[in-house]
Amino acid sequence: MLKPAAGRLIIDGTLGGGGHSEALLEAGATVVGIDRDPRALAAATARLARFGERFSTRKGEFGDASALIEGQVDGLLLDLGVSSPQLDEAQRGFSFMNDGPLDMRMSDEGLTAAELIEATEERDLADLIWKYGEERFSRQIARALKTQAPKTTFQAVEAVKSSVPRRAWPKEINVATRTFQALRIATNRELENLEAALAALPALLRPGGVAAIISFHSLEDRPVKHTFRELCGEGPDDAPRGLPVITVKTAAFRALTHKPITASASEASLNPRARSAKLRAIEKLP
Ligand SMILES: C[S@@+](CC[C@H](N)C(=O)[O-])C[C@H]1O[C@@H](n2cnc3c(N)ncnc32)[C@H](O)[C@@H]1O
């Protein structure tokens, strides 16, 4: 969808291990990889060195893409969330399965999740667990986090377990999943960054340029879907039935995906983390 080819400049806003960038470079495109994680930048730089000047990197947040890159580009790719190396390494503090410091920062800057808990009022902490984790025991969990002040991932899991009645523990997911998701989103200001990138899109892309975004949960997918619909001049899909929908005829974009593209059953079985991925793409009209 990004139409990678010689002469096309594409931003990979979530460089990570460089898998997507490698595919774009192999197809001939010039790629600028952005990541806030210095370890990801180092690994991808080594992996992609053979492409010479066609590949370069910027350390920073994709929400600042317009400031990190001069002028307009032909493509923007975002593959949201954390990477497998970040998730799997206990020391990074993302996983409730492995014990490590309660860090959760993708970058090496800013407050850790443990510091965020300390710095946030109980009421605000409850609100963010509710909003970013869609966790109905948010108030009880916020109270436990404030009083127990966890410094490690396992201490945080204990705080969650102690505040959710045993009979209410979810069957499909770990009892700490939603709280960990909320803390991670808040620590990394993930949704603010996504909003900033979406707001910058119209000016960032050249005519014919494509934005492709892969999201992993509804809090990410919702703003992508709504912004893309708006840019394509489509009415909201939740408009009440029977009411006339006014379509803006001056849309500057067209949708390349009318429904999000998801992983096939065979891909999901090879790569279970792809199960919840949704890809949406739009193209700026010439
Ligand atoms: C899911 S991984 C991307 C994997 C990559 N597509 C690949 O092929 O290896 C997401 C990466 O984006 C980075 N990231 C997430 N949010 C970011 C943001 N707002 N700004 C910059 N980098 C971000 C993370 O540090 C992580 O390395």
Side-chain angles (χ1 to χ4, degrees):
M1 284 193 196
L2 288 158
K3 306 189 192 114
R8 273 176 76 90
L9 172 60
I10 297 176
I11 303 178
D12 181 351
T14 47
L15 177 64
H20 283 149
S21 281
E22 185 168 54
L24 297 169
L25 288 158
E26 277 169 353
T30 298
V31 175
V32 179
I34 298 176
D35 207 295
R36 49 174 31 160
D37 182 348
R39 288 184 240 187
L41 288 168
T45 301
R47 174 175 178 176
L48 304 174
R50 70 192 147 101
F51 294 101
E53 289 185 349
R54 278 203 291 124
F55 175 67
S56 59
T57 61
R58 308 278 189 279
K59 180 174 188 282
E61 300 185 335
F62 58 64
D64 295 330
S66 325
L68 292 168
I69 283 128
E70 250 177 55
Q72 291 184 304
V73 300
D74 301 296
L76 172 70
L77 169 64
L78 299 180
D79 176 13
L80 299 170
V82 280
S83 65
S84 294
Q86 288 167 341
L87 204 56
D88 294 338
E89 202 186 306
Q91 286 304 308
R92 311 257 347 215
F94 285 104
S95 171
F96 46 76
M97 308 284 282
N98 306 307
D99 200 13
L102 190 59
D103 188 321
M104 294 198 185
R105 290 171 306 165
M106 294 181 197
S107 75
D108 50 357
E109 291 159 22
L111 297 186
T112 64
E115 290 164 346
L116 179 99
I117 292 170
E118 252 184 78
T120 309
E121 296 283 342
E122 183 181 316
R123 198 192 170 91
D124 297 335
L125 190 59
D127 285 350
L128 79 82
I129 295 170
W130 168 253
K131 194 166 141 205
Y132 296 153
E134 299 177 324
E135 167 61 68
R136 66 194 176 98
F137 291 96
S138 56
R139 305 238 159 266
Q140 293 88 326
I141 293 171
R143 192 164 315 131
L145 289 173
K146 286 302 282 183
T147 47
Q148 297 176 29
K151 297 287 177 278
T152 68
T153 49
F154 278 7
Q155 287 170 2
V157 172
E158 283 313 311
V160 176
K161 283 185 176 168
S162 69
S163 37
V164 181
R166 190 73 176 83
R167 62 178 187 288
W169 289 18
K171 292 196 179 52
E172 304 294 320
I173 54 172
N174 189 292
V175 62
T177 302
R178 295 177 197 280
T179 303
F180 270 59
Q181 171 179 304
L183 290 173
R184 190 199 95 192
I185 290 175
T187 299
N188 295 288
R189 298 182 318 283
E190 292 181 34
L191 299 179
E192 289 90 329
N193 246 279
L194 178 58
E195 291 289 357
L198 290 170
L201 262 187
L204 185 63
L205 291 179
R206 285 182 194 136
V210 173
I213 304 186
I214 305 169
S215 62
F216 288 85
H217 52 79
S218 58
L219 294 171
E220 292 172 344
D221 186 49
R222 222 172 288 143
V224 175
K225 178 173 153 183
H226 286 166
T227 304
F228 281 12
R229 289 185 71 91
E230 239 173 71
L231 290 174
C232 294
E234 293 164 20
D237 60 353
D238 45 5
R241 274 168 195 274
L243 286 185
V245 174
I246 300 161
T247 314
V248 181
K249 296 285 182 216
T250 52
F253 284 82
R254 76 180 177 100
L256 297 181
T257 50
H258 290 284
K259 282 200 170 136
I261 294 180
T262 54
S264 65
S266 64
E267 182 180 357
S269 74
L270 283 173
N271 177 15
R273 285 177 181 162
R275 266 183 318 211
S276 46
K278 285 186 176 172
L279 167 68
R280 297 183 189 272
I282 53 171
E283 180 180 34
K284 190 168 177 177
L285 295 173

